[in-house]
Amino acid sequence: MTKLLEIKDLHVAIDGKEILKGVNLTMRSGEVHALMGPNGSGKSTLSYAIAGHPNYEVTSGEVLLDGQDILELEADERAKAGLFLAFQYPTSIPGVTVANFLRHAVTNVRNPGRKEGEDLVPMRDFRKELRAEMDELGMDPDFARRYLNEGFSGGEKKRAEVLQLAMLRPAFAILDETDSGLDIDAVRVVSEGVNKVAAKVGTGVLVITHYQRILTYIKPQFVHILYGGKIVEDGGPELVDTLEREGYDWVRAKYPNDAKAEDALSV
Amino acid sequence: MATDLNLQVEGIKDEYKYGFRDSETNYSFKSGKGLNREIVEQISEMKNEPNWMRELRLKALEVFWQKPLPQWGGELNELNFNDIHYYMKAADRQGKTWDDVPTEIKNTFDKLGIPEAERKFLAGVGAQYESEVVYHSLREDLQKKGVIFTDTDTALREHSDLLREYFAKVIPIHDNKFAALNSAVWSGGSFVYIPAGVKIDIPLQAYFRINAENMGQFERTLIIVEEGAQVHYVEGCTAPMYSTESLHSAVVEIVVKKGGRCRYTTIQNWANNIYNLVTKRAVAYEDALMEWVDGNLGSRLTMKYPAVYLMGEGARGEVLSIAFAGKGQHQDAGAKIVHGAPHTSSRVISKSISKNGGRASYRGLLKVAAGAHGSKSSVVCDALILDDKSRSDTYPYIEIDEDDVKIGHEASVSKIGEEQLFYLMSRGLSDAEASTLIVSGFIEPLVKELPMEYAVEMNKLIQLQMEGSVG
């Protein structure tokens, strides 16, 4: 069943400073969108705001998942509704193994009505499934016993995010700079992982990046340019080539008002 | 008061006739509130003790009265010594099987999972209810090897030579006010004797239950590990919730001889109106290893600093402790290590969590005596504070009288990070579940030192604490 994620005129502020100034974006299941933009244009702000980080204040606008406004929901309720954010800098949770954490996550996301303290998904089934997903991602089984993100290399962190994506099977996934800090082989492995999940589950994917290289592996049908807190251009894959060739100077020239906003944001 | 006392003394002669059985609980004996020489004599008489023990009790009572209340650690001034029953006997005799134990008490221990645990993974079990041990068992093959695991009262009758040799030697009656109190009114507790070379690979467990309101529980445990022997002793404690305070003041003395090993694991989960004031100390001789694994949950105030005196060359001591302080609770816990011989080593790892206005303190003493050259010690204490109302303090005392030593001390205090919470919540975990997971991760390095069954219990207890539903 096709699902719909609509971001309508979204304004977001941090510490009273407005970062997003009216973002509009619509995605359906199975679609791959790329969101590009220079550093400081508000890309991560958009991903955190959608995921429900308490420090990101939505001052106006809507985010609808199949028509339901999710902005009133806590982060965990959004995850249960089918949203997933692959973090640019996943935080470490000392003493909590990847497997234990994921068992809690899978239990909650798959049984949204579960009350706290009720049973987790059965250990045996869970282990089997986790093992299979790790195999597909080419991960060592020992990885499941390591503490979440503790002492992980950049590549391991991103792979762990994709493993979570695979286990949680969200309707929509936002990949926030999943390629940053990775060498080219790691980018390929992680991208292939995302593609497999998307193909299997029909996840709608929003790839946030400022390099085109990840987009040679995760091929977007739709490309958006975020500039000065707004999406200024929507197009197809050809936009990626344009940006690659010409950088953001033409965007700047074409949208002088947003350029001012962009300059203000990067201060 | 005087009349009460007369009735009590009468009651000793015929406890049933004078109605000292609590009509609700069928207790066979319950001392009046408050403490005096008569009560101490009464306890000793009821137990048919030898004279030396009776004298020791009375001397200890004098010491208790003489010593002032400690004005450090926690707030003790509200503790009313006159409002406590110092001795209560709920069952007439001790059971050798659970069927011998009065039904109501057996049900309590059933609920606590003790008989089941015994069947599954324990070599021996002792269960104490109020002042007396109501059940005791030890695997037969261990009995044949000369292992003794019994309650301390029985030990005083059946192994009086050992008791006379070791009782109150590691912790003398004048050691501190509460050790003196325990020495005066002690009842129950475990006596463990492991003959030379005997190694017990699965744990012995004792379980202490306070049931009545205003009860004082003063168990007395003595463990002797002979040369090259090995034992793991586990202790668990609980009590129901009442509106007034109860007092738990135990003394645990341990002697580990040359090459012996002893691990003492405690998980105490008291209701939050219990004053838990416990003195635990071990002496480790040449190449011996003593490990305290100490989990403190609940209680209104816990003051407990398991100690290891390293008195033989090459002796090692470890204290691993977890404290969880919730609303209205103060955990003042830590460790005391004395290096009294060359090439001794010690390790202290302490983790504390405070939540909802709770206060957790680490209080530790590390002492290296002159001549204890080549000794090593490492102390690490980490505190996790869950909200702005809660508090954590560290009081490390270090006295080093020897130059040739290696000492490490690290302390950290952290708050649950907003980013950690958000990360877990973005994966579908509720706020509370995410906090619980972060806390269980924080104590994981210690929990994994516990036998599996206790690790599971510890995690369950932490979850309950996080839900705030223990009581």
Side-chain angles (χ1 to χ4, degrees), chain A residues 62-83:
Chain A
E62 291 178 313
V63 177
L64 306 175
L65 181 58
D66 281 346
Q68 186 203 1
D69 191 349
I70 60 164
L71 290 177
E72 291 305 311
L73 302 180
E74 296 288 335
D76 56 326
E77 295 164 319
R78 298 185 197 198
K80 291 177 191 173
L83 279 179

Side-chain angles (χ1 to χ4, degrees), chain A residues 48 85-90 158 161 176 178, chain B residues 422-423 426-427:
Chain A
Y48 276 119
L85 169 62
F87 284 67
Q88 182 178 4
Y89 304 110
K158 299 303 169 73
E161 292 293 292
D176 189 6
T178 294
Chain B
F422 175 62
Y423 185 62
S426 79
R427 300 303 186 242

Side-chain angles (χ1 to χ4, degrees), chain B residues 183-237:
Chain B
S183 302
V185 297
W186 73 270
S187 181
S190 299
F191 176 74
V192 178
Y193 179 83
I194 315 292
V198 174
K199 292 179 179 167
I200 306 183
D201 46 4
I202 60 173
L204 302 176
Q205 170 153 357
Y207 205 96
F208 299 99
R209 170 81 180 169
I210 293 180
N211 198 59
E213 197 164 3
N214 298 118
M215 171 64 197
Q217 191 174 53
F218 306 94
E219 86 269 10
R220 181 89 185 195
T221 289
L222 176 57
I223 298 175
I224 297 149
V225 180
E226 290 286 359
E227 289 191 4
Q230 197 172 313
V231 70
H232 183 185
Y233 176 87
V234 183
E235 170 207 285
C237 311

Side-chain angles (χ1 to χ4, degrees), chain A residues 14-131:
Chain A
I14 306 171
D15 295 334
K17 184 182 175 186
E18 187 168 66
I19 309 289
L20 297 184
K21 301 180 160 69
V23 172
N24 289 286
L25 183 67
T26 298
M27 293 175 65
R28 287 172 185 78
S29 319
E31 294 179 352
V32 177
H33 291 243
L35 181 72
M36 306 188 70
N39 271 335
S41 56
K43 299 190 299 292
S44 288
T45 300
L46 179 64
S47 60
Y48 276 119
I50 295 172
H53 194 295
N55 292 356
Y56 292 72
E57 187 198 350
V58 175
T59 49
S60 67
E62 291 178 313
V63 177
L64 306 175
L65 181 58
D66 281 346
Q68 186 203 1
D69 191 349
I70 60 164
L71 290 177
E72 291 305 311
L73 302 180
E74 296 288 335
D76 56 326
E77 295 164 319
R78 298 185 197 198
K80 291 177 191 173
L83 279 179
F84 181 88
L85 169 62
F87 284 67
Q88 182 178 4
Y89 304 110
T91 182
S92 66
I93 314 284
V96 177
T97 62
V98 170
N100 185 22
F101 152 68
L102 260 174
R103 192 165 166 230
H104 280 84
V106 163
T107 301
N108 283 300
V109 167
R110 293 194 193 159
N111 315 304
R114 168 184 179 258
K115 291 195 183 60
E116 215 180 305
E118 286 178 10
D119 286 349
L120 298 175
V121 289
M123 181 65 97
R124 189 184 287 256
D125 302 347
F126 170 77
R127 275 202 182 136
K128 216 164 130 186
E129 188 183 337
L130 181 63
R131 186 71 183 265

Side-chain angles (χ1 to χ4, degrees), chain A residues 48 52-53 55 75-76 79-80 84-85 87 91-92 94-96 101 104-105 108 114 116 147 149 161 164, chain B residues 418-433 436-438 440-442 444-445 448 463 467:
Chain A
Y48 276 119
H53 194 295
N55 292 356
D76 56 326
K80 291 177 191 173
F84 181 88
L85 169 62
F87 284 67
T91 182
S92 66
V96 177
F101 152 68
H104 280 84
N108 283 300
R114 168 184 179 258
E116 215 180 305
Y147 296 151
N149 294 319
E161 292 293 292
Q164 295 171 40
Chain B
E418 214 169 45
E419 297 312 314
Q420 288 181 322
L421 273 181
F422 175 62
Y423 185 62
L424 295 181
M425 287 179 72
S426 79
R427 300 303 186 242
L429 280 72
S430 68
D431 199 332
E433 201 171 9
T436 304
L437 203 60
I438 292 168
S440 66
F442 174 74
E444 160 73 13
K448 73 180 182 199
Q463 273 169 23
E467 288 165 16

